[in-house]
Amino acid sequence: MLSSQVRAIVKSTVPLLETGGEALTTHFYKMMLTEYPQVRPLFNQAHQASGDQARALANGVLMYARHIDQLEVLGPLVSRIVAKHVALQILPEHYPIVGDCLLRSIREVLGEDIATDEVIDAWAQAYELLAGLLIGSEEEVYAASAEAPGGWRGARGFIVERKVAESEEITSFHLVPEDGGAVLDFAPGQFIGLRLDIDGEEARRNYSLSAAANGRSYRISVKREPGGKVSNFLHDRVGEGDRIELFAPAGDFILRPGRKPLVLITAGVGITPALAMLEVAQHSDRPIHFIHCARNGAVHAFRDWVENIAAQRQNFRHFVCYSEPSQSDRADATGFLTLERLSGWLPAERDLDAYFLGPKPFMAQVKKHLKTLGVPDGQCHYEFFGPASALDS
């Protein structure tokens, strides 16, 4: 445990982190990725270039400093961090690297007059405590995944059994284990980590599992991102019969059991985890509303599959909104998902469970709309495809 003096010193840096946290974490990443190239595969360089990764870390460091007296408040944040770390296989040996660069960045960005030896020592103790918590939590997940039926630890070889174009932008990869064994079960909504060799350079990415667990294979559905190193490699250079390596499923954005009406709200490739949720939920007796937004029909993946469920199941409503429809497109609405439109598509009873995923501006708007429409905050669930950040509402 940290002493009261150490906690007080860490909390005293909160105002500095509020104004200069992003500069600090930007400096941190530049230092770490330059001096420790072995950790570069753990980070999406597009998120580095956009600043999203630095902003997410700055927010995490700030939250830790603010709540250093009440670490239990950070439970949801820690769970998200652990899930992302597990999917990318962050290991104990990575933490001293992060600690070294973080402490040096604090000293170099804040300056020796502010980042005194006392401040650096306090932050060193605070980081050691946090690292210990994360390492312990991550090891619990690694051990559980290894011991479960079909589970494993570290990387496991998989073969692309099928590659299916789902739209002009999204392609699915059906993956079976190279060893012919069973695969670990997972909760709908979770993701899986990939380790790839791209022209001699290692790259790791997380992708949502887009079909429910079946014990023998996994499916991911990948959107081709303009300039995306990994997505373009998968689309253009990975084919049926090729081998890739996977880390065990992880993630805390999962479909929770319940009997309340279920509303799945997605945009673009955000549909992928909702597909696994729908595949499982369709066998329950709860009402389901599935709302999907896309630019047009050409990029709308899995529409036929969802409509097939809608045709066979009672208490299921399916709505489609296209922002840039073509002349031949069929949609329930055009433009964006406005408050009025969402209000008409939700169940009349607002005591419901809502899961939503898509681009950050879309999620921020949906979160705001759900709050305005009276859906309880604790029943609104969302996930980020990249580094987590705050959704303004």
Side-chain angles (χ1 to χ4, degrees), residues 36-364:
Y36 297 94
Q38 66 268 36
V39 304
R40 288 181 64 87
L42 303 175
F43 298 94
N44 186 328
Q45 297 308 305
H47 295 153
Q48 293 293 323
S50 69
D52 288 347
Q53 191 78 56
R55 282 188 289 274
L57 179 60
N59 181 66
V61 171
L62 175 59
M63 291 301 101
Y64 184 54
R66 275 181 179 164
H67 300 289
I68 197 74
D69 290 325
Q70 311 166 277
L71 293 183
E72 65 277 5
V73 173
L74 300 177
L77 175 61
V78 170
S79 295
R80 287 196 297 271
I81 292 172
V82 168
K84 295 288 188 182
H85 282 188
V86 167
L88 292 170
Q89 293 290 288
I90 304 297
L91 300 173
E93 56 262 34
H94 295 131
Y95 282 89
I97 295 173
V98 173
D100 170 62
C101 294
L102 179 62
L103 296 176
R104 287 164 55 200
S105 296
I106 292 173
R107 172 66 57 86
E108 293 176 12
V109 173
L110 299 185
E112 294 187 6
D113 291 343
I114 296 174
T116 62
D117 290 345
E118 187 179 40
V119 168
I120 295 299
D121 180 65
W123 263 105
Q125 292 184 54
Y127 176 77
E128 184 177 1
L129 174 64
L130 178 60
L133 292 172
L134 293 175
I135 289 170
S137 297
E138 287 155 15
E139 174 55 29
E140 289 179 5
V141 179
Y142 290 139
S145 294
E147 294 165 5
W152 70 95
R153 181 188 285 262
R156 183 180 179 186
F158 278 71
I159 303 299
V160 179
E161 182 181 51
R162 285 196 299 142
K163 181 178 179 181
V164 181
E166 310 288 3
S167 76
E168 288 185 356
E169 295 181 339
I170 296 174
T171 293
S172 289
F173 298 81
H174 297 252
L175 309 168
V176 295
E178 183 180 40
D179 58 23
V183 299
L184 183 67
D185 199 1
F186 64 91
Q190 289 191 303
F191 46 79
I192 202 159
L194 277 66
R195 182 165 73 183
L196 303 166
D197 184 305
I198 303 179
D199 299 326
E201 292 187 2
E202 181 184 342
R204 302 187 188 189
R205 292 292 187 274
N206 297 331
Y207 289 103
S208 295
L209 290 154
S210 62
N214 60 26
R216 66 167 299 273
S217 66
Y218 295 129
R219 185 181 75 182
I220 59 171
S221 302
V222 180
K223 177 186 176 185
R224 182 194 292 273
E225 298 289 351
K229 178 180 179 180
V230 173
S231 68
N232 282 279
F233 177 79
L234 289 169
H235 275 253
D236 295 336
R237 297 169 59 184
V238 174
E240 293 178 354
D242 286 345
R243 179 184 186 275
I244 61 176
E245 292 185 330
L246 300 186
F247 303 124
D252 62 352
F253 176 66
I254 61 174
L255 179 65
R256 293 163 172 81
R259 299 184 61 84
K260 300 180 189 298
L262 172 64
V263 180
L264 302 171
I265 310 171
T266 61
V269 76
I271 196 173
T272 51
L275 297 171
M277 293 181 176
L278 175 57
E279 190 173 352
V280 171
Q282 67 170 317
H283 302 297
S284 71
D285 59 0
R286 66 194 303 190
I288 301 173
H289 288 221
F290 196 100
I291 300 168
H292 184 65
C293 301
R295 294 198 311 280
N296 52 57
V299 297
H300 181 176
F302 301 101
R303 176 167 182 162
D304 290 346
W305 183 81
V306 176
E307 289 185 340
N308 185 56
I309 293 176
Q312 298 181 44
R313 189 187 189 279
Q314 295 183 338
N315 287 331
F316 186 94
R317 301 192 68 189
H318 180 214
F319 301 97
V320 173
C321 182
Y322 288 155
S323 59
E324 303 171 14
S326 66
Q327 200 167 28
S328 61
D329 277 337
R330 295 177 295 111
D332 298 286
T334 59
F336 295 102
L337 188 59
T338 63
L339 175 66
E340 294 74 22
R341 190 163 289 155
L342 182 60
S343 177
W345 290 350
L346 289 182
E349 173 54 61
R350 300 299 157 81
D351 182 20
L352 54 86
D353 292 323
Y355 295 78
F356 56 97
L357 185 62
K360 183 183 172 183
F362 169 82
M363 293 200 298

